[in-house]
Amino acid sequence: MSANAKKSADITSVDPVWAAVRAGARQIMADEPSLANLVVSTILNHDTFEEALAHRLASRLDHDDVSADLIRQALAETLVDNPEVATDARVDLAATMERDPACHRAIEPLLYFKGYQAIQTHRFAHAMFLTGRRDFALYLQSRSSQVFQVDINPAVPMGHGIMLDHGTGLVIGETAVVGNNVSMLQNVTLGGTGKSDQDRHPKIGNGVLIGAGAKVLGNIKIGDCSRIGAGSVVLKEVPPRVTVAGVPAKVIGEAGCAQPALVMDQMVLVYDRDSKS
């Protein structure tokens, strides 16, 4: 076996996600030579998924205020003490591939999808926030809001397996909590009520699906595996495994499946009880 073949086999056995990303990069080079420089600099010039992730995010967040090189260095330093950031990024990538029918290759979220890139930027910002680099964390939040149109306070703890579809207009406030395997669509707000400095934002359970444009307001709990209909305004606690919809949102039935966030079914059927049909 040649040295290159052995290296490829080692990558596949140790990190299949990274192997799939590299395979996608080679396919893009073959199909679209005009993007060769992008995939070489972003993917093929790097030895690990971690290096490629830091490079891609830094390139997207580059600004005259703080250069891509400085951002890349800060992200790399964060990964040394917080390797779980890259682990969660892999799980998020797998979640995006599983749930988003528009995603066909592992390289696509890393290279193109701003929802995925915004979530990973937040993971770095949150890790920095917890280790005392508050100002750099806030800077990443600010740049992410400008570049990706996604605004997540760096204090927010976020579980693994997060899928943010499209991402535009997502806002998550300081004291919110997001569980594992949650899917959110564009223009979702997890907002607070009032201006007092206290626990004032929603707590999202595991396996929750939040439809496009939904607003969840206040320090309320959204139960595991529940489903929030698009455009709903949720002001009260939501029990596990139900569907809520409306303004204000009310329970209209069961969640429709065991894991709404994995199925991504936003169709909410409301039956008129007074109808004779």
Side-chain angles (χ1 to χ4, degrees):
M1 180 183 293
S2 68
N4 287 339
K6 183 177 186 304
K7 181 177 181 180
S8 178
D10 289 343
I11 289 173
T12 302
S13 62
V14 173
D15 192 346
V17 171
W18 178 229
V21 170
R22 289 178 64 87
R26 291 190 291 270
Q27 181 184 347
I28 291 173
M29 288 187 65
D31 295 344
E32 190 60 72
S34 60
L35 296 180
N37 183 64
L38 172 65
V39 296
V40 169
S41 63
T42 303
I43 306 298
L44 297 177
N45 272 354
H46 303 286
D47 293 328
T48 66
F49 177 82
E50 286 81 353
E51 289 179 9
L53 177 65
H55 182 278
R56 185 55 176 158
L57 295 181
S59 297
R60 294 300 313 274
L61 300 170
D62 182 35
H63 191 270
D64 289 344
D65 290 340
V66 182
S67 70
D69 286 340
L70 288 175
I71 295 174
R72 190 179 303 113
Q73 180 180 344
L75 301 185
E77 291 169 353
T78 300
L79 283 169
V80 172
D81 295 324
N82 302 272
E84 69 279 1
V85 170
T87 301
D88 289 339
R90 288 175 170 85
V91 180
D92 294 342
L93 192 151
T96 301
M97 290 191 67
E98 177 185 2
R99 302 174 209 168
D100 187 351
C103 182
H104 304 287
R105 298 168 297 177
I107 193 174
E108 291 173 4
L110 180 59
L111 205 58
Y112 305 126
F113 290 9
K114 69 176 184 177
Y116 176 81
Q117 294 166 356
I119 292 295
Q120 306 325 311
T121 300
H122 170 72
R123 293 198 184 282
F124 281 101
H126 182 63
M128 292 180 183
F129 185 87
L130 293 181
T131 56
R133 301 189 69 178
R134 176 184 172 86
D135 286 303
F136 209 109
L138 289 170
Y139 180 77
L140 290 180
Q141 176 194 2
S142 174
R143 284 297 293 152
S144 182
S145 179
Q146 292 174 317
V147 174
F148 306 127
Q149 296 84 52
V150 172
D151 194 348
I152 308 174
N153 190 284
V156 175
M158 191 166 289
H160 57 255
I162 305 298
M163 204 280 277
L164 177 54
D165 197 4
H166 300 292
T168 303
L170 179 85
V171 176
I172 302 181
E174 179 188 26
T175 61
V177 175
V178 178
N180 298 324
N181 300 316
V182 171
S183 294
M184 294 178 280
L185 284 92
Q186 66 272 17
N187 291 316
V188 164
T189 297
L190 305 183
T193 55
K195 63 178 184 179
S196 60
D197 184 12
Q198 59 184 0
D199 196 353
R200 61 195 183 279
H201 294 96
K203 311 298 180 282
I204 309 300
N206 300 323
V208 174
L209 171 62
I210 306 180
K215 316 301 178 187
V216 186
L217 305 177
N219 183 17
I220 57 176
K221 183 177 180 181
I222 307 302
D224 292 349
C225 301
S226 59
R227 183 172 61 151
I228 298 174
S232 298
V233 178
V234 184
L235 304 174
K236 296 181 180 180
E237 183 167 318
V238 175
R241 297 177 293 280
V242 301
T243 294
V244 299
V247 181
K250 298 179 181 179
V251 176
I252 62 170
E254 297 180 353
C257 61
Q259 294 284 335
L262 306 187
V263 176
M264 296 295 294
D265 182 5
Q266 293 190 82
M267 294 299 293
V268 175
L269 301 178
V270 181
Y271 296 98
D272 183 355
R273 294 180 180 178
D274 297 327
S275 173
K276 296 181 180 180
S277 58

